[in-house]
Amino acid sequence: MKKEILSMTIEELEEMLVSIGEKKYKAKQIFAWLHKGACFEEMSDLSKKTREKLDELTVLNYPKIEQKLVSAIDGTVKYLFAMYDGQLIESVVMRYKHGNSICISSQAGCRMGCKFCASTLGGRARDLSAGEILSQVITAQKDLGERIDNIVMMGIGEPLDNYDNVIRFLTLVGAKGGLNIGYRHISLSTCGLVDKIDRLAEENYPITLSISLHASSDEERSEIMPINNKWGVDELLMACRRYFDKTGRRISFEYTLIQGKNDSPFHAKKLAKLLLKYFDKAPFHVNLIPVNEVKERGFKQGSEKSIQTFVSILEQNGVNATRRRRLGSDINASCGQLRAGAGSAKN
């Protein structure tokens, strides 16, 4: 079987080159070309013979841009990518004063079943390889002709449900000679796979961990997030505290505000009490997200006043909280909707 070259480290490329009678220094050249989005024919500092060998031994699959939407409001760019087998995934590039951020997918579909999320519609088709995760960043950067500075793993899929490929992706994306994106510029969002959070803490990557919390009690969280039936709120928050104690990295908690479900002043006070119980003087942040209204789900956003009240109550109780600014509102920039509308795979 051919090896997927985008998933290979420089060291693995060196080993492969030596095994076929090539000089191992060429690995750095190949790695740099790959991370620029080049095909084998474009690798002009390699001989034709070397390029032919690469083509014989490896497969190079950059995604095809199936659809590209650009927001007229704020310049947010949403990509619907078709993978080699027709599976569709989404990535979103958001422009900020501090640089460009990309939200990327880790799976084609998702099996976590969170009730407010469009990404779970239709379940999980398959995991993405490390190279396929990386290729979203490479392809978007090449298409835009702009540097991508920050990565958010919050697109389609649960990153920790595809653990090994995500860890390999982190190794590749931070490597010198490639994209070389610093780990402090990478955020990974999880719905709460406690065993994998503990494993991640041991990996020693100084990334930001974001927890999709969305409720402050087991009863409320289990109703909208099936994962809570396996690991309850207390187990999850204890894992988060262990992660902070091990890494020293501030944890961010995502909380989607759903009208009539979890957005009352009572819920705000309850959330503050819960988080302070586990973190007290340790730094953490709450990222409040008015629910994205997906027609298949039926959840609604509360009023602007109710959202501001929620933020104020958290702040009054000593919790650092912000309301996420919604970007790309005119192109449905939240992940999952383009894929659902187009069908999970292209025939």
Side-chain angles (χ1 to χ4, degrees):
M1 288 181 64
K2 289 187 175 185
K3 295 181 179 179
E4 188 202 14
I5 195 167
L6 264 180
S7 289
M8 297 176 71
T9 64
I10 291 177
E11 293 75 20
E12 289 167 340
L13 285 169
E14 288 176 342
E15 186 179 328
M16 181 185 71
L17 288 169
V18 170
S19 73
I20 59 174
E22 295 282 347
K23 301 294 184 182
K24 76 174 188 178
Y25 74 82
K26 295 180 182 180
K28 291 183 179 178
Q29 296 170 251
I30 295 166
F31 194 78
W33 278 115
L34 292 172
H35 288 229
K36 292 175 184 175
C39 297
F40 295 136
E41 310 86 70
E42 298 173 301
M43 298 179 183
S44 55
D45 55 357
L46 299 177
S47 69
K48 183 179 179 182
K49 183 179 178 182
T50 300
R51 285 181 273 139
E52 287 175 347
K53 287 182 181 179
L54 291 176
D55 193 40
E56 289 172 8
L57 292 171
T58 68
V59 60
L60 176 54
N61 289 321
Y62 296 114
K64 177 186 175 185
I65 300 174
E66 192 70 19
Q67 193 174 354
K68 176 183 175 181
L69 303 176
V70 182
S71 170
I73 298 172
D74 50 43
T76 296
V77 183
K78 184 168 186 176
Y79 292 101
L80 181 67
F81 288 130
M83 311 312 285
Y84 74 93
D85 59 354
Q87 286 296 329
L88 300 175
I89 62 169
E90 295 175 37
S91 303
V92 181
V93 176
M94 299 154 286
R95 292 182 164 97
Y96 298 98
K97 290 180 180 178
H98 59 268
N100 293 327
S101 295
I102 186 169
C103 181
I104 57 174
S105 298
S106 55
Q107 296 175 311
C110 182
R111 63 176 176 174
M112 295 296 107
C114 299
K115 297 295 189 289
F116 49 83
C117 182
S119 297
T120 66
L121 297 171
R124 182 192 66 172
R126 66 174 177 85
D127 291 337
L128 299 182
S129 70
E132 288 176 315
I133 300 170
L134 180 70
S135 70
Q136 298 167 65
V137 188
I138 294 170
T139 303
Q141 186 167 270
K142 183 178 181 181
D143 178 65
L144 294 173
E146 300 174 27
R147 167 78 178 174
I148 288 177
D149 307 280
N150 307 285
I151 296 174
V152 182
M153 302 197 75
M154 200 184 292
I156 294 172
E158 161 57 55
L160 296 187
D161 190 38
N162 186 17
Y163 188 87
D164 291 339
N165 285 320
V166 165
I167 294 302
R168 176 171 279 264
F169 159 75
L170 291 174
T171 300
L172 292 168
V173 79
K176 292 180 180 178
L179 292 177
N180 193 22
I181 295 176
Y183 292 119
R184 294 181 185 276
H185 296 275
I186 299 175
S187 178
L188 183 150
S189 176
T190 175
C191 66
L193 280 65
V194 166
D195 57 340
K196 301 296 174 55
I197 292 173
D198 286 329
R199 279 184 67 186
L200 184 64
E202 298 296 327
E203 300 284 356
N204 204 28
Y205 287 107
I207 63 174
T208 297
L209 181 65
S210 295
I211 303 295
S212 294
L213 189 59
H214 310 306
S216 54
S217 72
D218 283 330
E219 182 180 6
E220 292 169 343
R221 194 166 189 264
S222 295
E223 186 179 340
I224 58 174
M225 300 183 73
I227 193 67
N228 200 76
N229 292 309
K230 185 169 185 178
W231 290 292
V233 171
D234 288 320
E235 288 177 283
L236 173 58
L237 292 178
M238 284 190 286
C240 291
R241 181 66 205 220
R242 291 193 297 272
Y243 185 90
F244 171 77
D245 290 340
K246 176 71 176 178
T247 67
R249 296 288 289 159
R250 184 185 77 164
I251 291 180
S252 177
F253 293 96
E254 299 151 16
Y255 191 97
T256 296
L257 293 165
I258 305 170
Q259 185 182 50
K261 285 276 186 185
N262 65 357
D263 65 340
S264 71
F266 168 78
H267 288 107
K269 293 173 185 175
K270 193 175 174 184
L271 177 63
K273 183 178 180 181
L274 175 71
L275 294 177
L276 290 169
K277 172 185 173 184
Y278 286 95
F279 285 86
D280 192 19
K281 292 181 171 54
F284 67 93
H285 178 260
V286 175
N287 196 6
L288 296 168
I289 312 163
V291 69
N292 184 46
E293 297 184 2
V294 179
K295 65 180 181 180
E296 293 89 347
R297 298 305 192 189
F299 292 137
K300 299 292 182 183
Q301 286 187 16
S303 67
E304 188 63 31
K305 182 179 179 182
S306 71
I307 294 169
Q308 292 302 325
T309 298
F310 202 99
V311 175
S312 297
I313 291 172
L314 289 181
E315 290 175 341
Q316 288 163 15
N317 283 271
V319 173
N320 183 4
T322 54
R323 174 191 176 173
R324 180 185 293 172
R325 183 164 63 98
R326 188 182 180 196
L327 298 176
S329 59
D330 56 330
I331 58 170
N332 287 328
S334 297
C335 273
Q337 291 173 297
L338 272 186
R339 182 176 187 270
S344 59
K346 185 187 178 188
N347 295 324

